[in-house]
Amino acid sequence: TADPAPMVYGDTLYLYTTHDEDQLVNDFYTMFDWYCYSTKDMVNWTDHGVVASLKDFAWTPRVNGAWALEVIERNGKFYMYYTAEQRICAAVADSPIGPFKQVEKVPMIPDKHIIDNPLFIDDDGTPYLLYVVIHRGFSICIAELERDLLTIKPNSETFCIRPRQRWERME
């Protein structure tokens, strides 16, 4: 498995991972399944199997990778943020072991190539999504989310770090 993303909920650690490259793939989209494992003691693990699959979320017929998931709990719902086709998307579940469903089968920011998407909740409860914009290099941005945790608040994107040196840019 790849891209392990841990989440502690109650007395349990949940570990979410992307596909297993060693599995036999009968369906192309199976390569883009997300799995969940849990433990209470870091010794004994439970395999919950596939908790989300890109074939259920696909908003594009061409898939060039899906990765970088993160799951958080907020107000009794579980939100999974992930990257697919260099776009950030979100899915929701009622349980930490899914199934996660994408409310709208569209990227959160459709007009930019964006990857990697940790969520940050400020002390005042304001949710922010951090991400990397790919345009002539890699820029790190942050944007405020609406209360639904699925929508980027308009005009809230702030560039935190931009490539400054020529060697940092992709020209």
Side-chain angles (χ1 to χ4, degrees):
T1 59
D3 300 327
M7 179 192 70
V8 175
Y9 181 69
D11 64 350
T12 305
L13 170 68
Y14 294 89
L15 187 65
Y16 302 90
T17 65
T18 54
H19 72 282
D20 182 354
E21 291 182 11
D22 295 330
Q23 72 187 28
L24 293 174
V25 178
N26 297 323
D27 173 6
F28 175 74
Y29 280 110
T30 303
M31 293 181 2
F32 304 111
D33 287 342
W34 288 281
Y35 298 83
C36 179
Y37 305 89
S38 66
T39 184
K40 292 180 184 285
D41 62 10
M42 299 295 287
V43 175
N44 300 295
W45 290 82
T46 301
D47 180 349
H48 299 283
V50 175
V51 296
S53 179
L54 191 61
K55 68 182 168 193
D56 299 327
F57 303 162
W59 44 267
T60 177
R62 181 176 152 273
V63 177
N64 186 20
W67 64 89
L69 76 146
E70 179 174 322
V71 177
I72 62 126
E73 183 276 333
R74 183 85 171 195
N75 301 320
K77 295 282 187 186
F78 296 85
Y79 297 84
M80 181 179 84
Y81 300 91
Y82 64 94
T83 299
E85 194 60 35
Q86 296 185 354
R87 302 293 193 278
I88 294 174
C89 301
V92 183
D94 293 323
S95 162
I97 59 171
F100 288 87
K101 302 291 183 189
Q102 192 171 5
V103 177
E104 290 188 44
K105 293 185 179 183
V106 296
M108 294 175 76
I109 305 174
D111 58 341
K112 292 183 182 180
H113 290 276
I114 300 173
I115 62 171
D116 302 334
N117 37 259
L119 184 78
F120 169 71
I121 308 286
D122 205 347
D123 291 340
D124 66 0
T126 304
Y128 296 92
L129 193 66
L130 289 106
Y131 48 88
V132 176
V133 175
I134 303 170
H135 178 72
R136 300 182 66 207
F138 297 92
S139 299
I140 298 174
C141 296
I142 189 168
E144 186 175 341
L145 291 178
E146 298 286 359
R147 295 247 177 243
D148 68 1
L149 298 180
L150 302 172
T151 310
I152 302 286
K153 193 171 202 174
N155 304 312
S156 69
E157 180 178 80
T158 300
F159 281 82
C160 302
I161 300 172
R162 291 181 185 225
R164 295 175 190 238
Q165 304 295 320
R166 182 182 172 117
W167 64 269
E168 296 176 306
R169 296 189 204 106
M170 301 161 85
E171 297 179 355

